[in-house]
Amino acid sequence: MEYELIRDQIKEHDKASCLKVLKYEKSKCWSYAYLSRWVVLESGLKLIFDEKNKLNIRTLAEEWVNYLDGKSKSKPDNIKNFTLQTQTIPPYSFLQNIFGTCNNIKKALDSNEKYRPKRNRIAHKAEEFMSEKNYLEYKGLVDKAIKQMITKLSQKANLTSGS
C-alpha cells in the first residue's frame, strides 16, 4: 500500500481544512468548523480502506490468474466484493489491524463516545455548539485523531521504505 502517497493526500486535505476552519471560527460557525475537521478524518479513513481493499482485490485476482494459468493447483477463495470505494467509515478494527492501537481515532469513531454522535447531529439535524469552549473540546479530539492518522501513515511509510 502507498502509505506515503495516502499520507500526503490527507495532509493536503488537512491544510485546506484548516483554512476553512479559520474562516468559520472567525464567523463563530463552530458547527461548520467541526464538520470541516471531521471531513478530513472521515475521508482519510475511507481512502486508507479503499486502498487496502484494492490491494486485497488485486491479490485475489492474481491468485485466480495463477490458478487459471495452471501455475497453482489450489482453487483460490471467491472474490465476493469488487467495490473500490466505500460509502461508510471503516470500522476501528480494520484500522487497528493496519496501524495497531489508535486511541484518538478510536474515541472519535466510537458511537458510544460523544464525538461521532455530535458530528451526526450537526450533519443531519443542524445542531449547533452551545459555546466556543464546547466546540474547542470536540475539535481538539478530532485534530488529535487526524494527527494520529497522519503519524501512523508516516510510520508505515518509513517501515515499508526501509525494507
Side-chain angles (χ1 to χ4, degrees), residues 3 6-7 9-11 13-14 37-49 90 95 99 102 104-105 109 142-156:
Y3 295 106
I6 295 168
R7 181 206 58 208
Q9 288 177 2
I10 294 169
K11 285 171 86 171
H13 193 186
D14 186 41
R37 297 307 293 146
W38 187 273
V39 167
V40 175
L41 178 62
E42 184 173 328
S43 62
L45 296 173
K46 287 178 178 180
L47 181 59
I48 294 164
F49 182 84
L95 299 164
F99 299 127
C102 303
N104 292 317
I105 295 171
L109 295 182
V142 174
D143 285 345
K144 287 177 186 175
I146 293 168
K147 183 177 180 182
Q148 187 171 57
M149 177 174 54
I150 291 169
T151 299
K152 292 288 187 173
L153 285 164
S154 293
Q155 291 169 347
K156 281 290 200 179

Side-chain angles (χ1 to χ4, degrees), residues 102-129:
C102 303
N103 291 329
N104 292 317
I105 295 171
K106 181 180 182 179
K107 195 169 188 177
L109 295 182
D110 189 343
S111 295
N112 295 318
E113 291 283 345
K114 59 187 179 180
Y115 304 94
R116 188 171 183 172
K118 181 67 169 181
R119 174 256 177 237
N120 292 340
R121 289 191 308 272
I122 292 169
H124 302 293
K125 297 179 181 176
E127 183 175 291
E128 292 288 337
F129 281 97

Side-chain angles (χ1 to χ4, degrees), residues 62-162:
E62 288 170 353
E63 288 174 11
W64 270 100
V65 167
N66 287 335
Y67 174 72
L68 294 171
D69 288 346
K71 295 176 184 174
S72 173
K73 296 199 186 290
S74 60
K75 184 178 175 187
D77 293 335
N78 288 338
I79 303 174
K80 296 177 181 126
N81 188 346
F82 285 93
T83 304
L84 297 179
Q85 283 191 309
T86 184
Q87 298 300 312
T88 59
I89 299 171
Y92 174 72
S93 57
F94 164 80
L95 299 164
Q96 192 175 23
N97 286 337
I98 296 174
F99 299 127
T101 302
C102 303
N103 291 329
N104 292 317
I105 295 171
K106 181 180 182 179
K107 195 169 188 177
L109 295 182
D110 189 343
S111 295
N112 295 318
E113 291 283 345
K114 59 187 179 180
Y115 304 94
R116 188 171 183 172
K118 181 67 169 181
R119 174 256 177 237
N120 292 340
R121 289 191 308 272
I122 292 169
H124 302 293
K125 297 179 181 176
E127 183 175 291
E128 292 288 337
F129 281 97
M130 301 316 277
S131 69
E132 183 177 13
K133 180 181 176 189
N134 186 244
Y135 155 70
L136 290 172
E137 176 190 346
Y138 279 80
K139 177 184 174 269
L141 187 272
V142 174
D143 285 345
K144 287 177 186 175
I146 293 168
K147 183 177 180 182
Q148 187 171 57
M149 177 174 54
I150 291 169
T151 299
K152 292 288 187 173
L153 285 164
S154 293
Q155 291 169 347
K156 281 290 200 179
N158 290 337
L159 285 174
T160 56
S161 68

